Amino acid sequence: GKGYRWSQTIDEVVVFLDCSPYSTRVKGKDVRCEVGKKSIHVSLAPAPSSADPPPLLIKGELFAEVLQDDVVWHIEDGKFVTVTMEKRKKTWWKSALVGDAEIDTQKVDSTCSIDDYDQPTQAAIQKLMFDQHQKIQGKPTSDE
């Protein structure tokens, strides 16, 4: 039941949160994203008519510290929220959250099983990572 995937470079961690079970039209105002120095808490605003508690996308203690001021999140296709966090120390993380399944950082490839997704989602994520990389480099994104 952990509804997230993550990937990392030596500098940053990206968490991909799938909102589609709750909504396929997520808007910026629906997202509550709080990232502390070593914690993350992302939830969606409940539907106005709903008495349910807000859907929790991810909550927990981060594997290591991040720079809170450099956290960027955005919504992809109204279905995914991605949260990009800058690592305080340039190291490979064994897991995104403390207590989650750890990866072998000796064999680390910079991503965590994007293959678990279906093709269109993989394509969306790859485009996203490409665009993000281009933005960092100050180059045009695939939409531009």
Side-chain angles (χ1 to χ4, degrees), residues 73-90:
W73 62 270
H74 56 228
I75 297 162
E76 191 68 15
D77 296 337
K79 295 198 267 297
F80 299 97
V81 174
T82 63
V83 184
T84 305
M85 296 166 281
E86 194 78 29
K87 294 174 179 175
R88 187 172 284 277
K89 289 201 187 78
K90 295 185 195 317

Side-chain angles (χ1 to χ4, degrees), residues 59-105:
K59 180 179 192 208
E61 186 187 343
L62 292 167
F63 184 79
E65 291 187 8
V66 295
L67 301 170
Q68 288 160 267
D69 298 341
D70 293 336
V71 175
V72 179
W73 62 270
H74 56 228
I75 297 162
E76 191 68 15
D77 296 337
K79 295 198 267 297
F80 299 97
V81 174
T82 63
V83 184
T84 305
M85 296 166 281
E86 194 78 29
K87 294 174 179 175
R88 187 172 284 277
K89 289 201 187 78
K90 295 185 195 317
T91 60
W92 293 113
W93 290 15
K94 290 193 168 131
S95 61
L97 295 184
V98 172
D100 276 349
E102 296 196 349
I103 56 171
D104 181 353
T105 53

Side-chain angles (χ1 to χ4, degrees), residues 29-80:
K29 63 177 174 32
D30 302 332
V31 179
R32 308 270 179 280
C33 178
E34 293 164 35
V35 176
K37 197 162 59 176
K38 206 169 176 293
S39 65
I40 184 169
H41 182 174
V42 185
S43 60
L44 291 177
S49 56
S50 150
D52 296 336
L56 184 65
L57 298 177
I58 187 171
K59 180 179 192 208
E61 186 187 343
L62 292 167
F63 184 79
E65 291 187 8
V66 295
L67 301 170
Q68 288 160 267
D69 298 341
D70 293 336
V71 175
V72 179
W73 62 270
H74 56 228
I75 297 162
E76 191 68 15
D77 296 337
K79 295 198 267 297
F80 299 97

Side-chain angles (χ1 to χ4, degrees), residues 89-139:
K89 289 201 187 78
K90 295 185 195 317
T91 60
W92 293 113
W93 290 15
K94 290 193 168 131
S95 61
L97 295 184
V98 172
D100 276 349
E102 296 196 349
I103 56 171
D104 181 353
T105 53
Q106 298 305 310
K107 300 199 200 57
V108 83
D109 153 25
S110 63
T111 58
C112 227
S113 61
I114 189 172
D115 311 330
D116 297 351
Y117 285 117
D118 57 17
Q119 275 323 114
T121 310
Q122 285 192 35
I125 291 175
Q126 274 154 347
K127 172 180 173 318
L128 192 74
M129 311 244 328
F130 171 80
D131 288 349
Q132 216 149 19
H133 185 71
Q134 293 292 90
K135 270 197 199 97
I136 294 165
Q137 309 283 325
K139 295 179 187 144

